[in-house]
Amino acid sequence: MYLDKIEEKMLDGEFGEAVSLAMRTVVKMGEVFSAERLVKIKHAHVSGISYENIGDEGLSFLEEIASLGGRFSVPTTVNPGAMDTEKWREMGITPEVFEKQGRILRAFMKMGAKITLTCTPYLYEQIGFGDHLAWSESNAVLYANSIIGARTNRDGGPLALMEAIVGRAPLSGLHLDENRRPTLTIDFSISEQFIFDNYLFSVAGLIAGRIAGNRVPYVIGLSRLKGDVENLKLFLAAVGASGGTGLVLIEGVSPEKVDDIPSERVEVDAGMLKEEMEKFNEDGEGIIVLGCPHLGLDEVQEIVEWIGKRGRAKRKIYLYTSRDVARMYEDERKKLEELNIYMFADTCMVVSNLSAYGSRSVITDSGKAAFYLSSKGYNVSLVPRKIILERVAVSD
């Protein structure tokens, strides 16, 4: 692999032990991916920072890198952790977990990260078409690649951490033009009206992800999603849960031009959508969890206003969002709780211990949350948000 003079110095330890370790890791992964060289990145986003997920070994690793002098050389943000850092007691978090999650965050702060604790960095960071990134959160990767036209692989959290330190990533995978061309077509044309009439964007995403696997698909029939951030988030997050691809080229939505539509085609009809829905057709009981990916400000406002105009929700609603959005509602906490709405930042229903403060029966609009919570043994009802608000949430 070709390295420029600065990269060689990084590798040889002239910039310190942590930089050398990071460069060795990035170069090794580049060799695995057959990269000819590295590419400079504009931004990094590191996932896998919840103590519930990485445990003591992950904590020790992060503290070691920080103690060796590891510092991020590009703007770097972090994914949600195990809890709301201010409302952790309400979430049933033990003092031990609180303390260790705090140590994880302090290690990231020492390395220079912006402690955003959200899975939607694309809503807050200045990312543009063609920018090379090192992101490791699946929904963020898919949104950046598919909707913005930036370039990042679905990096694991440790690799994104190392790439953030050296400011470079292997020039491989979705960083390269040839790997961004679609190799199959997923056609929703015959089920388009059924999807939009019934708000089945999460369901469509789960199907698309399973069909695509690790391949780049060209999606037809969803062009009406252009500019619909809320439902694009739900669709792509579901794709990332059921499949391994990091890029979905959506006709009329994605900014990249597709010259040759792949001849291999899979048509998705209403029957396939109904079959997917039946996998989560539980009894519809339990709490409502919304915000996977994190809710944006407009989404939170819409939900709160909807419930507020119709009276107290008949079952608990948990909203998960970024700390920036949550802070705007700090003075309205009592009002929200009177509506039976509880807002958490810094975490989500997937990376926190939901059963400790919520329930093991949930209703969600997120295909990603449904996918992962079901795998953890929760009873999950996957219901479109509009239906949740109109039929499930409001008082009888």
Side-chain angles (χ1 to χ4, degrees), residues 95-109:
E96 178 186 10
V97 172
F98 172 76
E99 189 269 334
K100 290 184 175 181
Q101 182 68 68
R103 285 169 58 187
I104 290 171
L105 298 184
R106 287 191 290 275
F108 273 105
M109 290 174 65

Side-chain angles (χ1 to χ4, degrees), residues 195 198-206 228-239 241 276-277 280 284-296 298-300 302-303 315-321 348-350 354 361-374 379-390 392-393:
I195 291 170
N198 295 282
Y199 312 98
L200 301 179
F201 308 108
S202 283
V203 177
L206 289 171
D228 187 348
V229 175
E230 173 186 317
N231 289 315
L232 282 169
K233 285 195 304 173
L234 288 172
F235 173 75
L236 292 170
V239 169
E276 187 72 25
M277 291 166 63
F280 304 100
E285 295 299 321
I287 61 173
I288 296 168
V289 289
L290 305 174
C292 182
H294 273 174
L295 299 168
D298 290 346
E299 294 173 277
V300 172
E302 180 182 357
I303 293 166
R315 63 185 73 207
K316 285 186 176 180
I317 303 176
Y318 289 98
L319 305 182
Y320 301 83
T321 186
C348 80
M349 72 287 286
V350 173
L354 180 58
S361 293
V362 300
I363 303 166
T364 185
D365 64 341
S366 167
K368 177 178 180 178
F371 183 91
Y372 287 116
L373 290 175
S374 293
N379 296 318
V380 181
S381 295
L382 179 56
V383 182
R385 187 180 306 172
K386 185 175 178 63
I387 306 303
I388 289 176
L389 294 177
E390 290 182 349
V392 181

Side-chain angles (χ1 to χ4, degrees), residues 35-83:
E36 294 183 359
R37 63 181 179 87
L38 305 179
V39 62
K40 292 182 179 180
I41 58 172
K42 179 178 180 179
H43 188 277
H45 182 76
V46 183
S47 65
I49 73 135
S50 169
Y51 178 74
E52 294 281 356
N53 293 341
I54 67 174
D56 290 330
E57 289 186 2
L59 168 59
S60 297
F61 170 74
L62 291 170
E63 290 185 329
E64 180 181 3
I65 296 298
S67 68
L68 290 174
R71 300 294 182 270
F72 298 132
S73 61
V74 296
T76 299
T77 50
V78 295
N79 228 36
M83 63 201 175

